[in-house]
Amino acid sequence: AGALFAAFLVGFGSNAPIAGMLAISPTYYTSEVRGTALGLVIGMGRVGAIASPIIAGALMDGGWAPANLYFLFIIPMLIGAVVISMLGKPVLNVPAADPDAAAPREGRPAEVK
């Protein structure tokens, strides 16, 4: 019964934040890097999805009980929740800068008026 409850918590605690992070992560980056940042967020999630079963399998081979594994994997989720709660103000809530006032970027010619 304890393992089933922990499995529910792990499932809810991992799937809901994934959807949330995909939804809010673009709001924290400017338009120049938004696509790259979202790809990084998705990539970090994929690394966790690959590493988790490998780590769980190694621990089960080492004699860990499944119930203990569920509670072990709650720790990174709690750390993630703390980090997410410390995020600052989203970039999309900040007024956009005047593009004409910006200096030309390196490798990009200045516009002639």
Side-chain angles (χ1 to χ4, degrees):
L4 288 176
F5 180 68
F8 169 77
L9 289 177
V10 169
F12 181 78
S14 62
N15 289 322
I18 289 168
M21 284 305 298
L22 291 176
I24 69 166
S25 63
T27 66
Y28 283 90
Y29 300 97
T30 61
S31 59
E32 290 87 8
V33 297
R34 192 168 294 138
T36 301
L38 185 56
L40 179 64
V41 169
I42 293 170
M44 289 187 307
R46 292 297 90 208
V47 168
I50 293 167
S52 293
I54 294 170
I55 294 169
L59 291 173
M60 288 181 74
D61 284 344
W64 282 57
N68 294 337
L69 286 178
Y70 287 127
F71 290 109
L72 174 69
F73 281 101
I74 288 175
I75 294 170
M77 289 181 216
L78 293 174
I79 293 169
V82 169
V83 170
I84 289 170
S85 70
M86 294 173 14
L87 288 174
K89 189 174 183 178
V91 173
L92 290 182
N93 289 341
V94 177
D98 181 13
D100 293 331
R105 294 185 198 159
E106 187 176 320
R108 188 173 169 189
E111 293 181 23
V112 179
K113 293 186 179 187

